Amino acid sequence: MRIRMLIGTAAAAGTLAALAAVPAQAAEYSSALKIRGVQYDAPGSDSNNCTTGNSKAEYLEIKNYSSTKTVNLKGYRVKDAAGNKFTFTANHYLQPGDQVKLRGGHGNDSDANNVVYRDNCNFIWNNDKDSIYLYKPTGAGADSHSYTKSGSDADGNGYIKYHG
């Protein structure tokens, strides 16, 4: 009995030491970025023509829910159920409470306007159902959501809000 108690105490102490070695912001950082919402069905008839299409009207909103930490999106990756993906390759800083719209099509990325373009005129989100995954630069999951048009979009406007 005493040996088990000593092993259990040593294991608990080791766990506490490991937790103490993790910086305080690690837990907040791991959950700071979340998918705020998705405009999965762009208004109008879908057209992925780069000059006259509406793929810019399809977007994913990602928000920094931290109250203290600025997050650089460089290295974060967004993916759908079919494996279509986008990686933030440039620095884009989200201050606490800021959000970015990741839009389809081509345009000028802007920290000031909090917009990044995928530089791809093809639609990424399906109009009937899909899954959205947000990955950290380390490859660990940051947030994910699945939707169906009939089950998730009560007002039928093509936009779904996930986090306030």
Side-chain angles (χ1 to χ4, degrees):
M1 183 74 148
R2 180 175 281 188
I3 292 173
R4 286 188 196 159
M5 178 88 105
L6 288 173
I7 291 171
T9 303
T15 302
L16 289 175
L19 289 175
V22 176
Q25 71 272 18
E28 181 177 26
Y29 178 77
S30 68
S31 62
L33 247 49
K34 293 188 186 302
I35 298 165
R36 182 176 186 272
V38 61
Q39 180 72 47
Y40 68 91
D41 188 359
S45 297
D46 285 354
S47 170
N48 59 6
N49 182 301
C50 284
T51 53
T52 61
N54 63 339
S55 62
K56 281 185 182 179
E58 180 186 87
Y59 59 87
L60 181 69
E61 289 179 299
I62 300 170
K63 183 173 179 177
N64 178 359
Y65 285 90
S66 170
S67 59
T68 59
K69 302 294 178 198
T70 297
V71 178
N72 184 358
L73 288 174
K74 185 174 183 177
Y76 274 81
R77 192 169 38 111
V78 172
K79 189 177 105 172
D80 76 344
N84 298 304
K85 54 189 158 193
F86 173 83
T87 301
F88 290 90
T89 57
N91 291 323
H92 189 93
Y93 296 94
L94 288 181
Q95 304 298 322
D98 275 354
Q99 62 190 28
V100 66
K101 284 186 179 179
L102 176 60
R103 290 191 175 276
H106 299 281
N108 294 320
D109 295 351
S110 170
D111 268 347
N113 295 323
N114 282 334
V115 64
V116 173
Y117 289 88
R118 292 189 296 109
D119 291 328
N120 184 327
C121 296
N122 293 324
F123 292 94
I124 191 171
W125 313 116
N126 293 331
N127 289 352
D128 60 343
K129 63 180 178 177
D130 212 335
S131 294
I132 306 165
Y133 305 95
L134 176 64
Y135 295 99
K136 299 177 190 178
T138 62
D143 198 13
S144 65
H145 294 278
S146 294
Y147 66 84
T148 62
K149 183 174 189 155
S150 61
S152 306
D153 189 3
D155 61 5
N157 68 354
Y159 180 83
I160 300 168
K161 186 175 184 178
Y162 294 109
H163 300 281

